[in-house]
């Protein structure tokens, strides 16, 4: 900078040439070892998690970055109703920004901001999911993490000392019934895959048919001696 200010003491010093300049340590990026000097040198797909100050909710953020620019963002939140609306806004804000811009942009919710911070650190240090994948992953790869039906994989379990555990939601879907053995221990459950159910309904299937077709069981559900609705019993 031509207008950079220098103190009088430094102005009057003689010049000493710099010998060892040092270079950036190479980081693994999409199948290459890159000596990154600028934001545009950064690429990769990875995930980061963050929570808000009162820790009422958390965010899992997935970004696909190419040449320093965020090309794809997947924002998943849990635990706070307001976070879902914040995620909607963050989803509009993030694509097209450099990761440095995104780091210094208000992403509406603290949990999303913290996730962005943690994710930024992973990306610039080369700790990405695609570190050793040649060419990285195509735009849209982040969406594939959701699987069929495009629903976040959410686990919701509630338990008390007095009454024991209740499975409410697991990766497979919304839990309809728990199967208990003769000792009243959970040995399996019945669930509905909400993503597949909604896809069937949108495709024109009858609600009842779509509902029954997407119900499955897990574990030794058929061997249970007692079945309970985890939300009512």
């Amino acid at each position: 900078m031509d207008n950079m200010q220098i103190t009088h003491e430094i102005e009057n010093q003689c010049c000493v040439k710099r010998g060892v300049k040092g270079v950036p340590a190479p980081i693994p990026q999409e199948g290459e070892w890159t000596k990154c000097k600028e934001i545009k040198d950064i690429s990769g797909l990875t995930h980061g998690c963050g929570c808000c100050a009162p820790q009422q909710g958390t965010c899992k953020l997935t970004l696909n970055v190419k040449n320093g620019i965020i090309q794809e963002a997947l924002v998943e939140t849990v635990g706070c109703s307001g976070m879902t609306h914040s995620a909607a806004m963050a989803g509009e804000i993030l694509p097209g920004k450099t990761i440095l811009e995104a780091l210094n942009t208000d992403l509406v919710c603290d949990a999303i901001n913290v996730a962005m911070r943690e994710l930024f650190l992973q990306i610039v240090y080369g700790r990405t999911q695609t570190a050793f994948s040649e060419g990285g992953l195509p735009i849209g790869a982040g969406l594939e993490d959701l699987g069929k039906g495009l629903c976040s994989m959410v686990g919701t379990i509630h338990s008390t000392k007095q009454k024991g555990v209740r499975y409410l939601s697991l990766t497979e879907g919304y839990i309809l019934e728990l199967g208990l053995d003769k000792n009243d221990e959970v040995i399996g459950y019945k669930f509905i895959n909400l993503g597949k159910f909604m896809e069937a309904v949108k495709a024109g299937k009858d609600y009842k048919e779509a509902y029954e077709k997407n119900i499955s069981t897990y574990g030794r559900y058929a061997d249970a001696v007692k079945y309970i609705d985890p939300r009512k019993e």
Side-chain angles (χ1 to χ4, degrees):
M1 294 175 65
D2 294 335
N3 61 347
M4 188 182 300
Q5 292 184 331
I6 302 175
T7 64
H8 179 70
E9 289 80 6
I10 298 299
E11 282 276 15
N12 291 327
Q13 289 180 355
C14 64
C15 286
V16 177
K17 285 190 176 181
R18 185 172 61 172
V20 179
K21 296 181 180 179
V23 294
I27 63 172
Q29 286 195 141
E30 302 193 337
E32 298 182 356
W33 290 94
T34 313
K35 294 181 179 180
C36 297
K37 296 182 179 180
E38 300 179 28
I39 288 296
K40 65 180 178 63
D41 298 327
I42 301 292
S43 295
L45 180 144
T46 197
H47 319 277
C49 291
C51 62
C52 58
Q55 300 193 32
Q56 291 179 317
T58 190
C59 168
K60 176 191 172 189
L61 179 62
T62 303
L63 296 183
N64 198 346
V65 179
K66 302 289 185 184
N67 302 318
I69 306 293
I70 297 170
Q71 302 292 336
E72 175 187 11
L74 174 63
V75 189
E76 300 173 84
T77 62
V78 64
C80 170
S81 58
M83 293 176 70
T84 61
H85 297 89
S86 300
M89 297 175 71
E92 293 193 37
I93 292 169
L94 286 165
K97 288 189 177 295
T98 69
I99 55 173
L100 184 59
E101 282 181 295
L103 181 68
N104 290 285
T105 298
D106 181 10
L107 300 176
V108 190
C109 168
D110 278 348
I112 305 175
N113 287 320
V114 172
M116 181 64 226
R117 182 192 70 196
E118 296 303 312
L119 197 150
F120 178 89
L121 292 173
Q122 292 181 50
I123 294 174
V124 297
Y125 284 124
R127 272 70 166 177
T128 58
Q129 182 178 316
T130 53
F132 300 102
S133 302
E134 186 175 357
L137 291 175
I139 311 307
L143 198 63
E144 294 176 0
D145 282 351
L146 299 180
K148 292 182 179 178
L150 300 182
C151 281
S152 295
M153 295 183 187
V154 178
T156 308
I157 309 296
H158 181 258
S159 58
T160 61
K161 179 181 178 181
Q162 291 80 5
K163 299 295 182 178
V165 71
R166 300 293 187 279
Y167 301 173
L168 302 175
S169 294
L170 293 172
T171 299
E172 295 86 0
Y174 180 97
I175 307 300
L176 299 170
E177 286 185 343
L178 297 181
L180 309 181
D181 64 10
K182 62 182 180 180
N183 298 318
D184 286 335
E185 295 179 1
V186 179
I187 60 172
Y189 49 84
K190 180 166 72 173
F191 64 90
I192 179 168
N193 187 310
L194 291 178
K196 291 182 178 179
F197 165 70
M198 290 305 302
E199 282 191 340
V201 170
K202 288 190 293 182
K205 290 275 181 70
D206 176 74
Y207 284 91
K208 187 175 181 181
E209 180 187 353
Y211 176 79
E212 292 175 349
K213 191 170 183 180
N214 287 289
I215 289 177
S216 300
T217 63
Y218 183 86
R220 294 185 292 118
Y221 179 82
D223 299 331
V225 298
K226 181 179 179 181
Y227 300 98
I228 64 169
D229 181 336
R231 290 171 173 79
K232 294 182 179 179
E233 299 175 75

